């Protein structure tokens, strides 16, 4: 298990899930891949299949049609799995709070590990959030001397 | 030959946004296409009716992150139409500069994604690297990378500082050589020609029949551009050309967008040099009862807003028609008859933007019956059964 954790944090594969977002956060995630920011130098890779992913990046104000699909995608993820909520909409629904089609924020649907605020967050903020996620997992392991509970 | 149904989506590696295509294929040929949307519906029109006129500007900005200038632009025009006023000249120039900057970054984004879909990741990286320069310009001008928050009914929120103009001009000029390089990369590559020429052809007649807008129509030889046909901002005061091509295939859509980027650079340069002094806001206090429309040329085509006011501080009705809503039905002409591998680039060629399009629409083809929610669910279940039965056959 310890080896798994070590390997896991070395190269996080990321799956991107848009749940009724305005595209801005999605574009900023893609921007992380491009030459100026280049998230791949941290071993992160955007993957096309949820079954290969370690991190689920969710953007957008979760709408009614997406809720069952988010749950299904989350259940298909192999363990250990991490969830990152990106942008104001995923955190608290932002300007769409009063909308009839956005009943709840993301963390009422699935458990969330890291929240990255911003409308949209800058690519630097997204990278900082992901790095913080790795750091915190490492620290937890050093402090408690045992593995994190991998949901 | 037996028919096969290929579902694409709603979450698929090829798409940034959730949408669901149902392709019916015979062997390698696509014989039918159907589309399910609704994964992005956020009830924005209803939301706008609950906000005050100043707040709505920021809500419509979040209709779509890529067109985050087009929607506020059209909305402010609609409210200014009710008030029968025009923003001060300096504000008009600033609006035009921001709108063209957005067109540059949107077309570069599309070019990159199109390159990626065709397997040219170099173009993807080049275009997106270049796009960062534009985003820097936008950050200098507005303070934000994506949601610029520059618009306000009756003017703009922020002024352009005099000392910023040389920096902005230098940055805008610096992208021209790379743009030329990208253009020659597209023009000279025989593989790219083979892959995009004669693919997904939308004839001139079909473009008119389907009411296609923006680059999708202009690539088919329909010379329709709101900036020329019904000028707003300062598009009638600067010198620029409409880019129109004849063939209507994917290659021509690339050419139109590449050409428009050079025109955008031209417009920004002209606006920066002609920028007049003066007020940037005309301080509106009340909106009288009435109705107004605003339409502008977004990067993807005509973006149309309708606002009805009843004299209170909130709009009584706000209607948005995004460009992709008009361009989506052209898939019926372009995709059907093509091969499966070409579908991806054909679907991408109109630069679809689903988060713009998701306004709820229920329509009966014969116009005789109105469907209730239950009817729709029943119809949808029947359709699913039908698809399953067809797949078993």
């Amino acid at each position: 298990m310890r080896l798994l954790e070590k390997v896991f944090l070395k190269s996080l594969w990321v799956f991107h899930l848009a749940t009724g977002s305005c595209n801005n956060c999605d574009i900023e995630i893609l921007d992380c891949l491009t030459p100026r920011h280049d998230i791949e130098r941290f071993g992160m890779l955007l993957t096309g299949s949820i079954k290969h992913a370690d991190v689920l990046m969710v953007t957008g104000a979760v709408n009614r049609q997406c809720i069952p699909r988010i749950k299904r995608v989350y259940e298909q993820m192999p363990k250990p799995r991490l969830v990152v909520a990106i942008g104001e909409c995923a955190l608290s629904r932002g300007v769409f709070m009063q909308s009839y089609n956005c009943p709840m924020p993301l963390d009422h649907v699935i458990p969330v590990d890291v929240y990255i605020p911003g409308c949209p967050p800058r690519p630097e903020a997204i990278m900082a959030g992901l790095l913080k996620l790795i750091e915190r997992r490492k620290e937890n392991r050093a402090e408690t001397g045992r593995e994190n509970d991998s949901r | 030959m037996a028919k096969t149904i290929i579902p694409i989506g709603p979450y698929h590696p090829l798409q940034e946004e959730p949408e669901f295509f149902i392709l019916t294929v015979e062997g390698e040929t696509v014989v039918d296409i159907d589309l399910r949307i609704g994964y992005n519906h956020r009830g924005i029109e209803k939301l706008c009716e609950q906000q005050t006129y100043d707040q709505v500007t920021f809500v419509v900005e979040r209709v779509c992150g890529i067109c985050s200038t087009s929607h506020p632009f059209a909305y402010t025009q609609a409210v200014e139409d009710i008030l029968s006023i025009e923003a001060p000249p300096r504000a008009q120039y600033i609006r035009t500069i921001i709108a063209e900057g957005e067109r540059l970054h949107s077309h570069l984004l599309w070019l990159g994604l199109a390159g990626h879909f065709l397997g040219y990741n170099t173009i993807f990286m080049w275009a997106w690297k270049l796009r960062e320069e534009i985003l820097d310009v936008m950050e200098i001008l507005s303070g934000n990378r994506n949601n610029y928050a520059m618009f306000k009914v009756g003017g703009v929120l922020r002024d352009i500082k005099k000392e910023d103009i040389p920096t902005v001009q230098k940055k805008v000029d610096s992208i021209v050589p790379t743009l030329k390089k990208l253009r020659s990369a597209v023009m000279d590559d025989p593989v790219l020609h083979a892959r995009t020429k004669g693919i997904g052809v939308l004839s001139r007649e079909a473009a008119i029949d389907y009411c296609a807008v923006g680059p999708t129509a202009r690539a088919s030889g329909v010379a329709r551009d709101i900036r020329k046909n019904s000028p707003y901002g300062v598009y009638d005061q600067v010198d620029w050309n409409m880019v129109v091509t004849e063939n209507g295939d994917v290659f021509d859509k690339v050419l139109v967008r590449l050409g428009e980027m050079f025109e955008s650079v031209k417009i920004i340069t002209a606006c920066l040099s002609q920028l007049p002094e003066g007020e940037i806001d005309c301080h509106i206090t009340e909106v009288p009862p009435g109705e107004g429309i605003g339409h502008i040329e977004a990067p993807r085509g005509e973006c149309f807003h309708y606002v009805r006011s009843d004299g209170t501080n909130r709009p009584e009705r706000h209607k948005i028609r995004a460009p992709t809503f008009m361009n989506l039905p052209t898939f019926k002409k372009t995709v059907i008859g093509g091969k499966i591998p070409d579908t991806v680039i054909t679907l991408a060629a109109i630069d679809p933007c689903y988060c713009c399009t998701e306004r709820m629409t229920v329509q009966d083809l014969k116009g005789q019956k109105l469907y209730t929610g239950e009817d729709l669910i029943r119809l949808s279940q029947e359709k699913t059964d039908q698809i399953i039965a067809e797949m078993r056959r």
Side-chain angles (χ1 to χ4, degrees):
Chain A
M1 200 62 188
R2 188 153 290 185
L3 182 66
L4 175 70
E5 182 80 9
K6 199 175 169 185
V7 174
F8 177 65
L9 292 178
K10 255 298 192 275
S11 71
L12 291 173
W13 282 25
V14 172
F15 181 79
H16 163 229
L17 187 74
T19 60
S21 71
C22 74
N23 253 354
N24 245 340
C25 302
D26 318 325
I27 296 299
E28 294 293 52
I29 290 174
L30 264 191
D31 233 17
C32 292
L33 292 173
T34 53
R36 187 181 284 187
H37 304 291
D38 193 16
I39 205 169
E40 288 185 19
R41 66 201 148 113
F42 301 114
M44 290 171 205
L45 189 71
L46 205 64
T47 161
S49 166
I50 185 66
K51 288 176 181 157
H52 299 161
D54 305 311
V55 181
L56 181 65
M57 277 182 162
V58 189
T59 59
V62 180
N63 74 14
R64 287 180 197 277
Q65 199 168 1
C66 282
I67 290 173
R69 287 169 179 86
I70 297 173
K71 285 182 183 157
R72 257 172 66 188
V73 165
Y74 182 71
E75 279 156 14
Q76 285 176 26
M77 255 179 110
K79 289 174 189 175
R81 56 195 171 186
L82 298 167
V83 179
V84 182
I86 292 180
E88 207 55 55
C89 293
L91 265 66
S92 67
R93 291 168 286 162
V95 292
F96 305 113
M97 196 174 275
Q98 269 125 32
S99 169
Y100 56 81
N101 209 28
C102 306
M104 57 182 82
L106 178 69
D107 51 8
H108 289 222
V109 185
I110 51 172
V112 177
D113 295 278
V114 170
Y115 299 85
I116 303 175
C119 186
R122 300 175 63 90
E124 291 92 328
I126 295 175
M127 285 194 290
L130 286 169
L131 290 178
K132 208 170 254 179
L133 178 71
I134 297 174
E135 287 303 313
R136 198 192 296 162
R137 263 187 99 96
K138 275 184 187 160
E139 273 170 26
N140 278 358
R141 195 177 48 179
E143 273 174 23
T144 54
R146 59 189 174 84
E147 297 309 316
N148 292 289
D149 114 72
S150 14
R151 274 194 294 265
Chain B
M1 196 182 279
K3 284 182 186 171
T4 318
I5 292 169
I6 302 180
I8 304 181
Y11 294 102
H12 194 271
L14 132 189
Q15 302 153 334
E16 263 312 292
E17 299 163 85
E19 64 265 349
F20 188 29
F21 294 107
I22 300 161
L23 292 183
T24 314
V25 295
E26 269 181 16
E28 278 281 286
T29 314
V30 180
V31 293
D32 200 5
I33 179 168
D34 204 354
L35 178 72
R36 296 272 173 282
I37 54 175
Y39 301 94
N40 262 326
H41 181 77
R42 286 152 289 163
I44 289 182
E45 285 178 9
K46 192 73 192 159
L47 208 56
C48 287
E49 290 160 20
Q50 302 164 9
Q51 314 279 342
T52 63
Y53 283 101
D54 281 342
Q55 290 169 331
V56 172
T57 327
F58 303 111
V59 177
V60 292
E61 198 167 64
R62 281 153 184 83
V63 168
C64 170
I66 309 170
C67 321
S68 60
T69 306
S70 314
H71 288 287
F73 205 157
Y75 162 74
T76 44
Q77 282 209 335
V79 181
E80 282 160 15
D81 188 21
I82 302 177
L83 288 154
S84 349
I85 53 153
E86 273 198 2
R90 188 175 173 88
Q92 298 277 19
Y93 271 90
I94 296 175
R95 284 178 179 190
T96 311
I97 293 170
I98 298 288
E100 286 311 306
E102 180 197 74
R103 193 181 315 280
L104 269 175
H105 102 71
S106 173
H107 282 351
L108 277 173
L109 184 148
W110 178 82
L111 188 69
L113 285 180
H116 173 64
F117 292 149
L118 288 173
Y120 278 75
N121 270 327
T122 321
I123 291 187
F124 172 59
M125 291 296 174
W126 269 100
W128 281 62
K129 193 180 165 192
L130 196 57
R131 185 176 162 268
E132 288 290 324
E133 298 291 322
I134 308 293
L135 292 185
D136 282 349
V137 169
M138 301 312 266
E139 202 173 350
I140 293 170
L141 293 178
S142 72
N144 299 312
R145 274 166 62 93
N146 292 76
N147 287 336
Y148 311 115
M150 284 291 269
F151 283 74
K152 157 173 212 273
V153 176
V156 287
L157 279 171
R158 293 184 202 90
D159 206 350
I160 293 181
K161 284 186 201 136
K162 211 171 222 165
E163 59 265 31
D164 284 342
I165 293 177
T167 328
V168 170
Q169 186 60 56
K170 213 171 125 196
K171 283 230 173 217
V172 171
D173 286 341
S174 75
I175 70 161
V176 175
T178 328
L179 267 184
K180 282 187 178 149
K181 209 178 199 176
L182 271 174
R183 184 169 65 180
S184 56
V186 172
M187 300 293 277
D188 298 345
D189 193 305
V191 182
L192 213 63
H193 280 236
R195 197 73 175 71
T196 56
K197 272 202 171 158
I199 302 294
V201 180
L202 183 70
S203 65
R204 191 185 143 83
E205 290 71 34
I208 293 171
D209 285 349
Y210 279 81
C211 300
V213 290
T216 311
R218 287 198 286 280
S220 303
V222 183
R224 195 186 290 154
D225 191 324
I226 309 299
R227 292 176 290 171
K228 277 267 191 246
N229 300 128
S230 146
Y232 58 93
V234 290
Y235 286 110
D236 48 350
Q237 290 163 38
V238 292
D239 176 42
W240 63 282
N241 303 314
M242 198 196 302
V243 185
V244 183
T245 55
E246 291 302 321
N247 300 325
D249 54 6
V250 177
F251 185 72
D252 276 27
K253 285 174 186 148
V254 180
L255 280 193
V256 166
R257 292 200 171 92
L258 273 169
E260 279 189 4
M261 281 194 266
F262 287 100
E263 296 301 320
S264 289
V265 172
K266 218 156 103 186
I267 295 172
I268 293 180
T269 311
C271 282
L272 282 173
S273 63
Q274 295 174 17
L275 196 64
E277 293 297 324
E279 280 280 306
I280 55 162
D281 185 10
C282 51
H283 306 289
I284 310 292
T285 47
E286 265 178 29
V287 181
E291 48 187 5
I293 58 161
H295 60 159
I296 65 136
E297 185 76 16
R300 289 161 181 76
E302 182 191 4
C303 169
F304 177 90
H305 279 233
Y306 164 85
V307 179
R308 189 165 69 225
S309 157
D310 54 357
T312 57
N313 61 347
R314 283 143 211 255
E316 189 192 4
R317 176 78 177 99
H318 187 179
K319 164 79 189 143
I320 304 170
R321 198 194 72 186
T324 308
F325 189 71
M326 302 311 292
N327 285 338
L328 274 180
T330 61
F331 286 160
K332 281 272 180 204
K333 281 279 170 205
T334 54
V335 175
I336 294 173
K339 302 280 181 239
I340 302 172
D342 295 332
T343 311
V344 176
I345 188 65
T346 315
L347 291 181
I350 68 155
D351 197 357
C353 180
Y354 297 93
C355 46
C356 282
T357 309
E358 306 249 319
R359 316 272 84 79
M360 214 177 249
T361 321
V362 181
Q363 242 175 12
D364 183 16
L365 286 176
K366 288 164 194 151
Q368 290 169 342
K369 196 174 142 196
L370 268 180
Y371 286 94
T372 61
E374 280 174 16
D375 283 338
L376 282 175
I377 293 169
R378 182 177 50 78
L379 276 178
S380 134
Q381 285 169 347
E382 276 172 15
K383 177 103 190 176
T384 317
D385 293 342
Q386 200 185 329
I387 289 172
I388 293 168
E390 220 163 297
M391 286 179 101
R392 284 205 185 120
R393 201 177 294 156

